[in-house]
């Protein structure tokens, strides 16, 4: 086995920012807004780096798809301990319509090209909340998948994944090569310390175009309109339980 | 008239020397606004992100203030982030960042006053001596552990009897018989990191031989707590920056190896001044960072809080506060990064005058802004449930430490005037003899300039360095500069050397100079922003023009007060009042309710 792990990292609007919709309702405002690495991608990077520190794998490669600024996100992954980066350049209209289908095609192509043993992704991105890229990537590669992972360990030539599901925790064993998506409780990502950021400057980021990977970026989706969530209406206070039941009946919910 | 002509030229040449040194130096170094490369911008953004995150998520400022202590986990986090060796070169284990980058990080670190002062005491002054004046052996020995934070540094200059008057310190270091070590004895007070420092830069009097005569001169020493004989007093219970440790440090015959003298024996005072001068500029960016944060917090409140059926943000007096905060942040940023950019130029340029101006403006501007921010919140701002009162308490130290603003104003005024002063010194006695020709000379020159010979120093116009939308402000600036030239010259003529004792005069000169530097900084920065099309550059032009207009009128008023027999100048009365109060050490008026009959 190559001992190589591919980690996908996405540049998203920072979780603390107050999102505003553009006046033409076409999308959200991104200009001049603070961006950072998707929190679940951070957890994915942390897991990969941990595996390397335990000497269970040999190399961590961070991948990001997007315009020039995606390199900042890759640099953060390098500062956390990834060995090298791959920047898949996607700009303009292609970037606006870039979604899980396209990214999973890219990840699948890279996984084959880099002879990866494991692909770790965040379970979902906090901007589109799709929760699809990991699953699609595994399907395209015809690899097993361990999604919503809260624990990952190596068991011989297999990987044991504890998954967080609605009913509780499910433990599965999957063969490698495989795709794993990281859930919240998998680990606590380390801070990229300033000395590590300086060291990361020396690490390489390769530049690749989707065409080089033979990937077609055409989207099957069209965003028609973006709206803010409806304003929260004020509630009503009632005096007694009977009043409450009465009001619920009025609203037709009981 | 030949006599007058000569005298007119005589005066003109000195005024021109002063003005040209002000204008030419300013032009060549401050336009265009300092740029850093693309790579550096990316690097700064990379470095800023984790630090910002750490401060938002892991730093509990309220707890640090309440318990008057920075928790060890937080201190460790700061060490791991690399924040203890920001400017220490990489070869000694630091981050090797420039002054500009240091200023950028200071914007975030200032979110917690106690942490900011702890880190600054450690690296901006504590270990700075080794960095700028230490020899290779000292750097190799001490910098690596200081950069990683394994050792913490402190700067020990101030004593109970020597604060602003630093040259009067009494701590003494006597050379041992065998010439191998000094024995250091004395007491220092107000030492930041005093109780936790492992390595201290200590200043003491040493006996040196100057041409066969034994004299007392100050030397700088690297002193390790491990040498023994060092005791730290109890931590001071302070109004603000309560998490930063401040205490007395006493030295009782502490043996210090001769190899630990920083620089030459006897050069300690200069080392101390260089250290202090090099750290000051960052107060501009740290104050700006804090004000920017306060604007966000208070704007949220002003937009949502309603009274008389309107949100607070619709009322003029509230709006004024936000404009003031924005203007202050803009000016402080502009000055700080201009100064840092100049300091980063090769050749170690001396920017001590500019740094002092940044410090005075930022400390006082910061103090006013935090107070007004608290005012926006009204009663809520006054409670400990909100951070505003802590910001107010933390900010109060700014005009006091790193050189009191009173001392710095003296420095600014006297240094700024020294060009004209040097030239005029010898001639003052002659001038005061009352030679009629001299009077003609002065009158003649004043007539010439007041007849409206228009002032043009090349800032605007075809080959000007200032963008046309700032042309009016630039013209106001040029007018002020010309006016200050003649004002300074007439002051020197009037007072001669005794001007060093005229604090109220020097204060006004300093204020004008600070305003001028501030105007330069905003004109330069805004010009660049327009030229390269930065986002919201129109707002910058608005801020720059507003500030310059305001500063222009303030400067004119200050200079009016500096004219001979100016009716706007109440100094004589002020001094009289002060004298009568201080003689009696009390307010001396009879009580208004007293009777004499």
């Amino acid at each position: 086995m190559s001992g190589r792990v591919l980690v996908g990292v996405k540049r998203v609007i920072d979780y603390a920012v107050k999102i505003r919709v553009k006046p033409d309702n076409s999308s959200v405002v991104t200009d001049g807004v603070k961006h950072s690495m998707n929190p679940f991608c951070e957890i994915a990077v942390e897991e990969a780096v941990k595996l390397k520190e335990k000497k269970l794998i040999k190399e961590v490669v961070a991948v990001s798809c997007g315009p020039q600024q995606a390199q900042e996100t890759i640099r953060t992954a390098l500062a956390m301990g990834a060995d090298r980066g791959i920047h898949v350049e996607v700009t303009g209209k292609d970037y606006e319509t870039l979604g899980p289908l396209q990214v999973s095609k890219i990840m699948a192509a890279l996984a084959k090209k880099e002879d990866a043993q494991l692909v770790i992704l965040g379970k979902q991105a906090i901007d589109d909340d799709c929760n699809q890229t990991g699953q699609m990537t595994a399907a395209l590669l015809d690899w097993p998948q361990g999604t919503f992972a809260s624990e990952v360990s190596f068991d011989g030539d297999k990987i044991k994944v504890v998954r967080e599901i609605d009913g509780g925790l499910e433990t599965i064993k999957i063969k490698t090569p495989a795709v794993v998506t990281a859930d919240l409780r998998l680990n606590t990502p380390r801070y990229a310390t300033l000395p590590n950021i300086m060291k990361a400057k020396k690490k390489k980021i390769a530049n690749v175009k989707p065409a080089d990977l033979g990937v077609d970026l055409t989207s099957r989706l069209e965003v028609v309109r973006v709206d803010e969530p409806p304003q929260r209406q004020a509630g009503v206070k009632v005096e007694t339980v009977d009043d409450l039941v009465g009001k619920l009946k009025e609203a037709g919910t009981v | 008239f030949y006599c007058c002509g000569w005298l007119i030229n005589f005066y003109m040449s000195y005024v021109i020397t002063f003005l040209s040194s002000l204008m030419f130096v300013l032009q060549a170094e401050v336009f265009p606004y300092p740029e850093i490369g693309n790579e550096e911008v990316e690097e700064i953004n990379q470095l800023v992100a984790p630090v910002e995150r750490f401060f938002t998520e892991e730093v509990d400022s309220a707890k640090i203030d309440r318990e008057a202590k920075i928790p060890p986990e937080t201190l460790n986090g700061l060490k791991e982030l690399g924040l203890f060796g920001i400017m220490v070169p990489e070869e000694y284990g630091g981050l090797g960042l420039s002054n500009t980058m240091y200023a950028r990080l200071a914007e975030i670190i200032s979110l917690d006053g106690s942490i900011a002062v702890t880190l600054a005491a450690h690296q901006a002054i504590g270990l700075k001596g080794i960095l700028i004046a230490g020899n290779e052996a000292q750097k190799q020995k001490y910098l690596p552990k200081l950069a990683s934070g394994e050792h913490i540094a402190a700067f020990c200059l101030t004593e109970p009897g020597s604060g602003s008057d630093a040259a009067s310190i009494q701590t003494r270091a006597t050379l041992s018989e065998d010439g191998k070590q000094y024995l250091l004895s004395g007491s220092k007070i107000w030492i930041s990191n005093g109780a936790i420092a492992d390595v201290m830069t200590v200043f003491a009097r040493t006996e040196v031989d100057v041409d066969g005569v034994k004299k007392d001169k100050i030397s700088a020493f690297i002193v390790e707590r491990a040498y023994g004989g060092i005791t730290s007093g109890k931590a001071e219970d302070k109004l603000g920056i309560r998490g930063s440790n401040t205490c007395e440090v006493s030295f009782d015959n502490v043996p210090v190896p001769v190899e630990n003298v920083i620089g030459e024996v006897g050069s300690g005072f200069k080392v101390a001044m260089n250290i202090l001068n090099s750290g000051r500029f960052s107060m501009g960016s740290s104050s700006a960072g804090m004000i920017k944060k306060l604007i966000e917090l208070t704007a949220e409140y002003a937009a949502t809080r309603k009274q008389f059926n309107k949100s607070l943000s619709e009322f003029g007096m509230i709006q004024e506060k936000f404009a003031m905060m924005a203007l202050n942040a803009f000016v402080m940023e502009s000055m700080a990064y201009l100064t840092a950019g100049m300091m980063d130029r090769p050749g170690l340029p001396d920017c001590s005058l500019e740094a002092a101006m940044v410090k005075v403006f930022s400390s006082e501007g910061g103090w006013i802004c935090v107070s007004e921010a608290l005012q926006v919140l009204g009663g809520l701002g006054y409670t400990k449930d909100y951070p505003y009162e802590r910001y107010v308490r933390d900010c109060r130290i700014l005009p006091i430490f790193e050189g009191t603003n009173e001392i710095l104003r003296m420095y600014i005024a006297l240094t700024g005037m020294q060009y004209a002063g040097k030239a005029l010194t010898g001639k003052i006695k002659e001038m005061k003899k009352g030679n009629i020709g001299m009077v003609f000379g002065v009158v003649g020159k004043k007539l010439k300039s007041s007849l409206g010979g228009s002032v043009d120093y090349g800032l605007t116009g075809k080959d000007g360095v200032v963008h046309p939308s700032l042309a009016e402000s630039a013209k106001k600036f040029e007018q002020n500069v010309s006016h200050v030239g003649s004002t300074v010259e007439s002051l020197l003529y009037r007072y001669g050397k005794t001007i060093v004792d005229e604090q109220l005069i020097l204060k006004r000169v300093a204020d004008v100079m600070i305003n001028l530097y501030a105007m330069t900084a905003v004109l330069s920065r805004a010009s660049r922003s327009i030229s390269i099309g930065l986002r919201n550059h129109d707002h910058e032009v608005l801020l720059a023009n507003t500030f310059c207009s305001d500063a222009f009128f303030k400067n004119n008023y200050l200079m009016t007060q500096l004219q001979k027999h100016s009716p706007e100048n109440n100094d004589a009365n002020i001094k009289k009042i002060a004298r009568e109060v201080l003689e009696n050490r009390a307010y001396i008026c009879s009580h208004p309710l007293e009777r004499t009959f």
Side-chain angles (χ1 to χ4, degrees):
Chain A
M1 281 266 91
S2 71
R4 187 172 292 129
V5 173
L6 229 55
V7 182
V9 293
K10 186 178 181 187
R11 180 174 180 267
V12 299
I13 296 180
D14 188 86
Y15 77 90
V17 170
K18 193 154 187 276
I19 310 285
R20 283 177 311 144
V21 176
K22 281 190 187 151
D24 62 0
N25 292 96
S26 59
S27 58
V28 300
V29 176
T30 52
D31 206 27
V33 170
K34 185 168 178 220
H35 282 65
S36 40
M37 190 191 291
N38 181 38
F40 294 106
C41 297
E42 280 179 0
I43 299 175
V45 173
E46 175 66 23
E47 196 60 23
V49 173
K50 271 205 168 89
L51 289 174
K52 193 178 100 165
E53 284 170 351
K54 287 191 205 147
K55 299 211 195 311
L56 293 168
I57 55 136
K58 293 206 198 87
E59 192 188 24
V60 178
V61 183
V63 180
S64 193
C65 309
Q68 177 72 9
Q69 294 95 320
Q71 293 203 8
E72 285 166 24
T73 316
I74 300 177
R75 291 237 168 265
T76 308
L78 294 174
M80 286 172 73
D83 298 290
R84 60 184 166 91
I86 301 178
H87 172 212
V88 181
E89 215 177 306
V90 181
T91 53
K93 204 78 184 65
D94 281 338
Y95 181 60
E96 282 170 38
T97 56
L98 192 69
L101 181 60
Q102 294 76 22
V103 173
S104 54
K105 285 183 187 171
I106 293 172
M107 291 303 295
L110 281 173
K112 285 208 201 102
K113 185 160 177 269
E114 296 285 334
D115 189 26
Q117 178 184 345
L118 188 57
V119 174
I120 311 184
L121 305 172
K123 73 169 179 182
Q124 67 197 62
I126 60 170
D127 51 7
D128 53 22
D129 284 325
C130 285
N131 186 0
Q132 297 168 352
T133 310
Q135 292 85 337
M136 284 181 176
T137 308
L140 287 169
L141 288 165
D142 198 23
W143 286 7
Q145 54 182 265
T147 53
F148 310 106
S150 69
E151 213 183 291
V152 170
S153 49
F154 277 45
D155 196 349
D157 61 344
K158 296 212 180 69
I159 301 184
K160 191 172 92 168
V161 181
V162 178
R163 308 177 59 230
E164 294 204 13
I165 59 173
D166 287 348
L169 296 173
E170 180 195 53
T171 310
I172 59 170
K173 273 205 197 133
I174 51 178
K175 285 192 200 151
T176 56
V179 175
V180 168
T181 71
D183 207 325
L184 190 62
R185 278 159 281 269
L186 181 56
N187 59 49
T188 311
R190 65 196 64 191
Y191 281 97
T193 67
L194 305 198
N196 284 344
I197 293 176
M198 308 282 292
K199 283 191 205 124
K201 281 199 290 191
K202 301 190 184 92
K203 297 184 186 174
K204 289 204 178 357
I205 301 182
N207 211 293
V208 171
K209 297 214 174 37
D212 300 340
L213 300 169
V215 169
D216 167 26
L217 292 178
T218 335
S219 175
R220 273 71 155 159
L221 300 175
E222 185 198 327
V223 173
V224 175
R225 199 186 151 84
V226 176
D227 279 303
E228 293 207 358
Q231 285 279 12
R232 217 182 136 172
Q233 297 298 326
V236 177
K237 269 194 180 149
V238 292
E239 292 293 306
T240 69
V241 174
D242 288 329
D243 286 345
L244 176 60
V245 173
K247 282 228 182 286
L248 287 172
K249 280 190 177 152
E250 267 172 38
T253 51
V254 161
Chain B
F1 261 109
Y2 159 79
C3 182
C4 296
W6 174 81
L7 281 164
I8 288 172
N9 288 337
F10 180 87
Y11 277 112
M12 285 301 285
S13 67
Y14 293 121
V15 173
I16 287 173
T17 313
F18 170 69
L19 282 180
S20 64
S21 58
L22 191 58
M23 283 305 303
F24 180 72
V25 161
L26 286 182
Q27 262 219 50
E29 295 190 356
V30 307
F31 284 93
Y33 199 71
E35 287 261 3
I36 57 171
N38 238 332
E39 236 193 70
E40 266 192 270
V41 174
E42 264 187 43
E43 196 179 322
I44 290 190
N45 289 335
Q46 281 265 295
L47 298 174
V48 158
V51 180
E52 242 172 9
R53 203 157 132 191
F54 183 78
F55 273 80
T56 338
E57 294 175 11
E58 308 275 333
V59 173
D60 187 350
S61 297
K63 181 157 176 252
I64 292 174
D65 178 66
R66 205 168 43 237
E67 299 180 3
K69 188 178 155 69
I70 302 175
E73 317 87 65
T74 310
L75 222 46
N76 273 334
L78 295 166
K79 289 178 190 174
E80 270 163 36
L81 276 173
L83 294 176
F84 273 72
I86 298 176
M87 287 183 68
V88 175
E90 280 184 81
E91 66 203 271
Y92 303 109
L95 295 178
L97 297 181
S98 61
N99 289 297
T100 306
M101 302 240 210
Y102 182 77
R104 181 63 186 92
L105 290 173
E107 277 189 49
I108 310 165
I109 298 171
S110 70
L111 289 176
D112 184 289
S114 301
I115 293 180
V117 171
T118 302
L119 288 176
H122 166 82
Q123 60 192 315
I125 52 175
L127 57 78
K128 218 20 134 46
I130 306 174
L131 205 54
I132 61 177
N135 59 38
E136 192 55 41
Q138 291 164 338
K139 289 182 185 175
Q140 299 261 5
K141 182 170 182 198
Y142 291 106
L143 289 180
K145 291 210 170 109
L146 288 169
S148 70
E150 193 182 327
H151 284 165
I152 297 187
F155 182 82
C156 302
L157 174 64
T158 307
E159 294 175 9
S162 310
S164 288
D165 188 4
S168 70
I169 56 171
Q170 294 298 304
T171 300
R172 180 161 284 282
T174 0
L175 192 57
S176 61
E177 287 284 326
D178 59 9
K180 290 209 179 129
Q181 59 184 20
Y182 282 90
L183 291 177
L184 192 71
S185 286
S187 269
K188 301 287 186 184
I189 59 165
W190 307 132
I191 306 304
S192 293
N193 298 347
I196 55 175
D198 309 280
V199 176
M200 300 178 236
T201 303
V202 185
F203 296 86
R205 303 199 91 80
T206 47
E207 208 177 63
V208 286
D209 225 303
V210 181
D211 301 326
V213 182
K214 290 214 187 288
K215 283 198 174 154
D216 251 5
K217 283 193 166 254
I218 298 175
S219 300
F221 297 90
I222 305 173
V223 181
E224 295 177 39
R225 189 180 292 274
Y227 292 157
I230 304 178
T231 37
S232 310
K234 77 166 176 54
E236 301 285 345
D237 191 9
K238 305 187 295 292
L239 170 69
I241 52 167
R242 293 173 57 74
S244 156
N245 169 263
T246 317
C247 65
E248 259 191 54
V249 181
S250 298
F251 301 89
D252 187 8
N253 281 315
V254 179
V256 181
V258 293
E259 300 79 52
N260 279 24
V261 174
I262 302 178
E264 299 284 321
V265 173
S267 70
F269 188 74
K270 207 155 154 241
V271 171
M273 291 305 111
N274 285 343
I275 294 173
L276 292 168
N277 287 338
S278 71
R280 270 187 200 121
F281 72 95
S282 67
M283 202 180 278
S285 62
S286 50
S287 298
M290 189 192 54
I291 296 177
K292 288 191 277 191
K293 179 93 192 157
L294 285 173
I295 292 177
E296 272 176 36
L297 296 174
T298 46
E300 191 60 48
Y301 182 77
T304 46
R305 163 79 172 174
K306 285 191 144 95
Q307 284 289 270
F308 309 108
N309 247 316
K310 294 205 279 189
S311 68
L312 291 191
S313 51
E314 296 180 65
F315 294 98
M317 286 194 252
I318 299 291
Q319 290 167 348
E320 188 179 27
K321 295 182 206 298
F322 283 95
M324 185 200 62
M325 288 194 274
L327 282 164
N328 267 290
F330 184 67
V331 176
M332 287 174 198
E333 266 183 342
S334 309
M335 284 171 96
Y337 288 105
L338 176 59
T339 312
M342 292 199 292
M343 286 169 78
D344 282 337
R345 290 222 173 93
L348 300 172
D350 176 18
C351 299
S352 49
L353 176 59
E354 289 82 356
M357 294 193 273
V358 173
K359 195 269 188 187
V360 173
F361 187 92
S362 309
S363 53
E364 289 173 12
W367 174 240
I368 297 174
C369 284
V370 294
S371 186
E372 291 294 281
L374 189 155
Q375 184 77 5
V376 172
L377 274 283
L380 286 178
Y382 201 65
T383 68
K384 287 204 183 235
D385 299 329
Y386 288 79
Y388 305 93
E389 58 83 33
R390 190 186 64 243
Y391 277 111
V392 166
R393 286 185 290 109
D394 285 348
C395 273
R396 188 57 188 87
I397 192 65
L398 296 177
I400 299 174
F401 71 3
E402 288 218 42
T404 60
N405 285 6
E406 287 74 19
I407 285 293
L408 290 179
R409 280 194 160 86
M410 296 288 289
Y411 176 67
I412 293 167
L414 292 172
T415 310
M417 287 164 75
Q418 76 174 357
Y419 293 105
K422 260 190 196 136
L424 282 172
T425 307
K427 310 292 176 179
I428 288 173
K429 280 197 195 127
E430 286 175 55
M431 288 190 246
K432 284 212 174 274
K433 277 185 202 152
N435 186 321
I436 244 286
M438 261 170 268
V439 176
F440 276 157
V442 177
V443 168
K445 201 186 109 301
K446 286 210 186 316
L447 264 180
K448 182 176 171 176
S449 61
S450 68
L451 280 176
S454 84
V455 179
D456 188 353
Y457 296 113
L459 280 184
T460 56
K462 193 166 76 67
D463 296 319
V465 288
V466 171
H467 191 273
S469 52
L470 299 161
E472 280 235 21
S473 297
K475 283 259 154 274
K476 287 183 175 133
F477 171 73
E478 287 174 335
Q479 264 194 285
N480 270 164
V481 170
S482 149
H483 195 176
V484 99
S486 56
T487 305
V488 161
E489 174 238 314
S490 101
L491 283 172
L492 286 170
Y493 173 69
R494 221 183 305 157
Y495 291 96
K497 276 190 189 155
T498 66
I499 196 143
V500 295
D501 298 318
E502 298 292 331
Q503 286 212 337
L504 296 176
I505 303 238
L506 291 174
K507 178 183 178 204
R508 292 187 181 90
V509 173
D511 285 344
V512 170
M513 297 205 55
I514 295 171
N515 281 338
L516 288 178
Y517 186 54
M519 287 162 91
T520 313
V522 300
L523 286 172
S524 177
R525 175 201 176 159
S527 284
R528 170 179 175 262
S529 299
I530 306 169
S531 311
I532 65 173
L534 280 184
R535 204 165 44 90
N536 291 330
H537 61 257
D538 291 332
H539 188 70
E540 286 192 42
V541 172
L542 183 58
L543 290 171
N545 283 335
T546 310
F547 176 74
C548 286
S549 166
D550 207 47
F552 173 67
F553 289 110
K554 282 195 179 122
N555 282 347
N556 282 341
Y557 186 64
L558 287 166
M559 288 190 277
T560 308
Q561 290 180 311
L562 289 172
Q563 306 289 0
K564 200 165 182 181
H565 305 315
S566 160
E568 289 87 353
N569 185 318
N570 269 321
D571 288 359
N573 286 356
I574 288 175
K575 288 195 199 165
K576 190 150 189 269
I577 297 170
R579 200 167 46 241
E580 295 179 12
V581 167
L582 289 167
E583 259 165 24
N584 291 276
R585 304 200 189 177
Y587 177 68
I588 64 174
C589 301
S590 300
H591 198 273
L593 300 177
E594 264 195 43
R595 297 165 59 106
T596 58
F597 55 93

